[in-house]
Amino acid sequence: MNHAINPDKCTACTMCVAECPVTAATRKFRGPKMTGPALDRMRKQIQDDDFMLDYCSNCKNCDLTCPSGVPISTLNMLARAEYYKTHKRKSQADDMLAHGEKMGKLVCSLPMGSMLMNMGMSIGKAMHMMEPLGISGKAPMPSYADESFFSKFKKIKQQSYPKKVVFFPGCFINYNQPEVGVDLVKAYQANHIEVIVDESFVCCGSPLVSGGYLDEARENSERNTSIIQKWISKGYEVITACTSCGLMLRQEYEELFPSVEVAENAGHIYDAMEYLAKLYDEGALNTNFAAIPGSLIYHAPCHLKVQGFGRPTLDLLSMIPGVKIEEADAGCCGLSGSYGFKADKYEISMQIGAKLFERIKQSGAQQGVSECGICRLQMKNGSGKDAVHPISILAQAYA
Amino acid sequence: MRMHDVVVIGSGLAGLFAACIAAEQGKNVSLISYGAGALTVGGGIIDALGYTDDGKPVKNPSEAIKGLTGKHPYSKVGIAGVEQALQAFQRIAAAEGYPFIGDSTKNQWVATAIGALKPTCLTPKTMDGSALKEATKVLVVGFEGLKDFYADMVQKNLLNIYGERKEIRAVTTELPFEKGRDVRDISAMDIARWLDTEEGRAHFAGQMKQYVKPGMVLLMPPVLGTMPNYCVQEALERALGCRLIEVSSMPPALTGYRLNKMMTSYAHKLGVRFVTKAKVIGSHIINGVCKYVVTTGCGREQKHYGSTFILATGGVFGGGLATGMGEMTEPIFNIDIEVPKVQTEWSHKALFSDGKQIFAQYGVEVDKDLVPLTANGEKVAKNIRVVGRTLAGYDYCYEKSGNGVALATAYQAAMSIGGAKK
């Protein structure tokens, strides 16, 4: 087991409990300190029987708060996977939401698949067919794109440049919002970078880990790790535009499935905005931005805050003439991957997000900005204002 | 290259306050932190100076601070700096809608979670020391199922202090909370969240009304709302017609939590750039100037360039000072701290001895401008300032000066940087 996973590093200071959004929303959750490090000490002796584990949303605010570097949420996820080996799941929702990649592949490969699927979801919702499956009928299910990013990417005519990066789009961009990937290619091309997409990548595994399907996540980790190895051995860096994919590839693989390769890869994986900010630091960023008048409100995803690279989106977007951007600083959006889609978690999720929704509504900003697709859905759902990926704003400024 | 006028390391009170003051001066500021600062576990009040070296309570902190000499951080800052810092803090607190009461010429006595009294200087209105002092009747309010607050013990200890001078009673109130195996234990934060709601306040006020008498103050664990404002306190005082006062409490202490939220909110409004979950592991100093500090996080190292660096990483407990057998260092700028090689000489034999602990006073030596000095008395780098508990020369725990020193040194550091450059 990874040396970093040591519950005894926890000094029981309880700051994680104070900052845990789920703990704040419901007493059905024992809180990160208890379900994480405290119970983990017990788990070394006896089999766990803590049903409250189910309530952790894996948002990682506990990890963010912990001054001692205890990977609290990962302790929870490891325990959850063990727990569900011997306990019945509440519904089919866990299975469906953890395996979104399967659905995405299927839907985007069928003619009119996305249309039928999206229609099916609306009808399903209207007919209250979702609840029996354990999925909330009120949650903002993401609609499927009519063409996957993989397919759209093939039609983009890129200028070839010596500098190349490998883009890991992840399921959400590939199957739900391919336009984010297209904008990434635009923005990178404007910086004389050629984008490579490797279709052999599989889901990063984040939803599998959250659902407690650790063995499948391990398979995905092994596959992605070897693909990343192949590309970095050629001297290419790997870019993600979803902060949860990025966190999974860079940090959670190391916590959950540590290996020499995983550790080596982590140093070569960048968030799309982080990478451009690094170019700026090196004096290599194209800052020839067209003016975009407008005010934006930026929500930093929890899974970004915990990666330690600051707020490159604020650094970069504030360079665009006309852009006024403020940070929401309003905590977790609540949706947290697939958490808020579950019928028994929807209310918790909306309660968590309430502060952010109010902040966006009050701000007077025209548009929300966030790197995380799930956060963007929730921002729109809760505040009524659209939210976009920052790379799309950059692509617009380069146009 | 992204370059900041000021790079602050550490997000406790000293770091946050330094960042805010520098940003108010027009500086562009980045604040690097790894985990939350100790604010949330602290009591959220500002001790300036509670006790003299020989253990006598301080009535007038300003006067007592004037008399401090030698290595004490206050003597570096000077009384004018200390007073300005406290005033600046009160200005920020008021601007955020969470004003602090008190001033540096007069200590207040506030009740602790066990019903002892401690001297402090600035408090939120919910901990106003004068309310307890002036009350003729004190009702200690406990909550059924709250394990971190024992109303009977608080009552007993207060009786020991006040004797016949006050009528002191205790009551335990019921909470209409779900009970059983499906829900976790009740914490002070849960009660505060309940009192955040109108429904919770109505329920609580309805229960307490029967006990309230003229001249009474209700003494409670910190449960008067989760947010840095006085909405909950004011609403309940209106409903009950008496004062409601909080004691400091077991972590997570609501009062510290609110102070953290207040400072963070103000820093965001000023555009302070937060770099979270990034551990600063080193620095690059050339020709007596620090060029950048290096962080780790998620697989790689990153450089953070700045004109001035403010070190606010705390002491041994906060991770700002690293110790081994017979040695102590400040790990980011690699400053050796002179300590006895024989570890037993670091402390008095009795942990709770009747004097300042020796180890508690170990820290980074600085000059008048809070620039760190090597063992030879040379500047480590002229553009570094050290603030808060990382500093040598005081035992905040013994003398009750922790947050006061944090504010005073942070203010001094942020103001010493010079005019606006934005």
Side-chain angles (χ1 to χ4, degrees):
Chain A
M1 181 48 71
N2 187 347
H3 67 92
I5 311 264
N6 176 8
D8 286 341
K9 286 205 298 189
C10 169
T11 62
C13 75
T14 69
M15 285 196 267
C16 60
V17 183
E19 297 293 345
C20 169
V22 177
T23 304
T26 177
R27 280 182 59 233
K28 287 179 181 161
F29 184 46
R30 210 176 295 289
K33 182 193 78 173
M34 284 299 288
T35 54
L39 280 178
D40 219 55
R41 295 185 189 117
M42 311 288 178
R43 288 179 194 122
K44 301 208 181 295
Q45 298 288 332
I46 51 163
Q47 208 192 6
D48 188 22
D49 191 31
D50 188 18
F51 55 93
M52 288 196 184
L53 260 174
D54 187 63
Y55 282 89
C56 172
S57 75
N58 200 25
C59 73
K60 300 197 176 282
N61 277 286
C62 45
D63 300 24
L64 179 65
T65 309
C66 181
S68 307
V70 181
I72 306 164
S73 56
T74 292
L75 291 176
N76 285 346
M77 292 308 111
L78 287 164
R80 180 182 286 173
E82 278 303 309
Y83 180 85
Y84 281 121
K85 279 182 187 168
T86 51
H87 292 79
K88 199 171 171 293
R89 288 179 178 276
K90 282 183 178 172
S91 71
Q92 293 170 51
D94 286 6
D95 184 26
M96 288 174 64
L97 293 168
H99 299 92
E101 187 185 26
K102 272 189 200 162
M103 188 62 84
K105 257 188 194 156
L106 180 72
V107 169
C108 287
S109 65
L110 296 170
M112 295 202 298
S114 66
M115 197 188 80
L116 292 171
M117 182 66 190
N118 295 336
M119 209 162 74
M121 282 198 300
S122 335
I123 295 169
K125 273 187 181 183
M127 314 239 328
H128 303 289
M129 285 159 68
M130 308 298 259
E131 277 85 357
L133 301 172
I135 292 179
S136 166
K138 296 179 205 151
M141 296 297 276
S143 54
Y144 287 95
D146 44 16
E147 185 179 4
S148 72
F149 173 72
F150 282 162
S151 166
K152 280 191 176 207
F153 178 77
K154 289 194 195 102
K155 297 174 190 163
I156 300 174
K157 292 210 170 28
Q158 281 193 85
Q159 181 85 37
S160 182
Y161 293 108
K163 190 164 191 168
K164 301 179 203 312
V165 295
V166 176
F167 176 44
F168 180 98
C171 303
F172 191 79
I173 291 177
N174 199 13
Y175 302 117
N176 301 100
Q177 287 192 346
E179 60 277 11
V180 173
V182 174
D183 285 339
L184 181 136
V185 177
K186 274 186 207 156
Y188 274 58
Q189 282 272 291
N191 282 287
H192 293 189
I193 298 169
E194 187 179 338
V195 177
I196 295 166
V197 168
D198 187 331
E199 291 193 23
S200 56
F201 276 130
V202 289
C203 167
C204 70
S206 182
L208 292 167
V209 171
S210 288
Y213 301 88
L214 216 53
D215 293 337
E216 289 173 66
R218 180 180 286 107
E219 283 173 30
N220 286 23
S221 143
E222 281 164 6
R223 178 152 173 189
N224 288 331
T225 298
S226 72
I227 300 169
I228 294 169
Q229 280 274 299
K230 182 187 82 184
W231 287 109
I232 66 170
S233 70
K234 292 184 183 174
Y236 301 153
E237 309 284 34
V238 175
I239 306 296
T240 63
C242 160
T243 38
S244 297
C245 294
L247 182 69
M248 197 72 207
L249 300 177
R250 285 164 79 161
Q251 182 166 304
E252 291 178 275
Y253 280 3
E254 206 164 352
E255 289 171 357
L256 294 161
F257 321 115
S259 72
V260 178
E261 291 78 16
V262 161
E264 191 193 354
N265 287 355
H268 296 277
I269 301 164
Y270 289 83
D271 170 78
M273 300 302 284
E274 179 197 16
Y275 186 81
L276 294 178
K278 178 175 162 276
L279 287 188
Y280 176 79
D281 287 343
E282 292 161 356
L285 184 79
N286 172 4
T287 53
N288 192 14
F289 299 120
I292 306 176
S295 57
L296 305 171
I297 183 157
Y298 170 65
H299 164 68
C302 301
H303 285 185
L304 174 141
K305 289 182 189 168
V306 83
Q307 293 190 46
F309 58 68
R311 307 285 187 268
T313 286
L314 288 174
D315 297 336
L316 293 176
L317 295 194
S318 56
M319 292 175 194
I320 301 172
V323 166
K324 273 183 67 182
I325 184 160
E326 60 177 320
E327 186 169 358
D329 179 35
C332 179
C333 79
L335 198 45
S336 198
S338 54
Y339 188 78
F341 296 128
K342 297 177 189 174
D344 60 333
K345 310 291 181 347
Y346 173 75
E347 293 299 337
I348 297 173
S349 140
M350 290 306 278
Q351 204 180 321
I352 294 171
K355 197 178 160 206
L356 176 64
F357 308 152
E358 201 48 36
R359 177 77 177 84
I360 297 171
K361 283 187 212 163
Q362 298 291 325
S363 75
Q366 290 145 333
Q367 205 172 29
V369 176
S370 188
E371 291 89 341
C372 169
I374 296 299
C375 293
R376 293 196 295 273
L377 272 179
Q378 180 84 334
M379 287 161 80
K380 168 98 195 265
N381 180 43
S383 75
K385 278 184 200 172
D386 254 333
V388 295
H389 193 290
I391 202 80
S392 300
I393 310 258
L394 275 185
Q396 198 189 333
Y398 282 130
Chain B
M1 183 173 70
R2 282 172 290 176
M3 172 88 182
H4 287 95
D5 297 331
V6 181
V7 174
V8 180
I9 310 162
S11 66
L13 185 61
L16 283 165
F17 192 57
C20 290
I21 297 295
E24 280 184 346
Q25 302 302 305
K27 300 288 197 292
N28 75 62
V29 181
S30 150
L31 189 147
I32 307 174
S33 64
Y34 185 82
L39 259 178
T40 306
V41 282
I45 51 180
I46 311 297
D47 296 347
L49 191 65
Y51 293 99
T52 61
D53 281 2
D54 49 6
K56 293 204 176 71
V58 168
K59 278 189 177 157
N60 179 337
S62 275
E63 279 303 319
I65 287 166
K66 272 184 215 163
L68 293 170
T69 52
K71 285 183 178 176
H72 200 292
Y74 278 146
S75 77
K76 313 261 180 196
V77 173
I79 186 60
V82 176
E83 286 172 350
Q84 284 164 19
L86 295 181
Q87 284 156 16
F89 170 78
Q90 283 181 297
R91 174 175 51 73
I92 289 172
E96 282 291 309
Y98 188 53
F100 271 54
I101 52 174
D103 70 78
S104 61
T105 63
K106 202 163 151 263
N107 266 335
Q108 326 178 33
W109 289 89
V110 297
T112 68
I114 58 164
L117 294 179
K118 69 157 274 184
T120 190
C121 188
L122 308 181
T123 65
K125 286 182 182 175
T126 59
M127 295 178 79
D128 183 352
S130 68
L132 184 61
K133 196 175 157 186
E134 287 157 15
T136 53
K137 299 182 184 70
V138 179
L139 183 66
V140 185
V141 182
F143 292 88
E144 183 199 6
L146 176 63
K147 291 178 177 171
D148 297 337
F149 185 80
Y150 300 93
D152 293 346
M153 178 173 67
V154 173
Q155 177 204 20
K156 218 170 153 189
N157 284 333
L158 286 176
L159 275 172
N160 286 339
I161 297 167
Y162 292 115
E164 298 292 303
R165 283 176 288 151
K166 291 185 200 295
E167 180 191 312
I168 299 165
R169 289 176 188 276
V171 63
T172 298
T173 46
E174 280 172 31
L175 290 166
F177 286 14
E178 205 182 321
K179 294 186 184 89
R181 195 172 173 261
D182 288 347
V183 287
R184 68 161 182 270
D185 291 346
I186 295 164
S187 72
M189 290 200 85
D190 292 324
I191 302 171
R193 288 173 192 124
W194 178 63
L195 291 177
D196 275 339
T197 68
E198 226 167 277
E199 190 192 344
R201 290 194 294 270
H203 189 281
F204 176 74
Q207 264 203 73
M208 297 311 298
K209 253 197 170 109
Q210 54 182 314
Y211 302 110
V212 176
K213 293 176 191 164
M216 182 180 268
V217 62
L218 303 190
L219 194 65
M220 332 176 44
V223 293
L224 296 174
T226 55
M227 297 309 290
N229 62 47
Y230 299 118
C231 296
V232 173
Q233 186 192 25
E234 284 165 6
L236 287 174
E237 288 186 346
R238 269 197 308 273
L240 289 167
C242 71
R243 298 294 306 274
L244 272 72
I245 294 299
E246 295 177 312
V247 301
S248 56
S249 148
M250 301 286 284
L254 248 301
T255 44
Y257 176 87
R258 290 183 207 129
L259 180 55
N260 185 36
K261 291 280 172 252
M262 176 196 108
M263 293 303 300
T264 312
S265 154
Y266 192 69
H268 271 106
K269 282 177 196 154
L270 294 173
V272 171
R273 187 75 87 237
F274 282 75
V275 180
T276 46
K277 193 75 176 175
K279 194 161 203 153
V280 180
I281 51 157
S283 57
H284 182 65
I285 296 172
I286 189 158
N287 297 328
V289 176
C290 179
K291 296 289 180 193
Y292 58 81
V293 293
V294 182
T295 58
T296 57
C298 257
R300 82 175 72 81
E301 295 182 352
Q302 196 175 336
K303 293 171 186 167
H304 301 260
Y305 291 85
S307 306
T308 304
F309 295 84
I310 297 180
L311 182 72
T313 45
V316 174
F317 178 69
L321 299 172
T323 57
M325 284 309 265
E327 57 181 35
M328 186 180 277
T329 51
E330 187 293 305
I332 294 172
F333 299 109
N334 208 14
I335 306 166
D336 268 330
I337 290 157
E338 268 194 291
V339 291
K341 294 275 168 281
V342 183
Q343 199 97 6
T344 49
E345 291 172 19
W346 287 28
S347 56
H348 303 308
K349 279 206 177 108
L351 179 60
F352 298 107
S353 73
D354 206 14
K356 296 195 279 187
Q357 267 295 0
I358 305 165
F359 63 82
Q361 300 169 69
Y362 294 152
V364 175
E365 305 272 352
V366 291
D367 68 9
K368 279 274 176 211
D369 297 321
L370 305 176
V371 174
L373 303 172
T374 65
N376 304 326
E378 288 160 14
K379 289 180 182 182
V380 174
K382 64 182 181 186
N383 62 335
I384 302 172
R385 305 284 184 278
V386 183
V387 301
R389 173 52 198 104
T390 320
L391 290 165
Y394 73 118
D395 176 352
Y396 76 88
C397 201
Y398 177 80
E399 67 182 27
K400 305 290 174 223
S401 64
N403 281 348
V405 168
L407 292 178
T409 52
Y411 186 80
Q412 164 92 348
M415 294 301 285
S416 74
I417 296 162
K421 261 173 63 179
K422 213 170 195 174

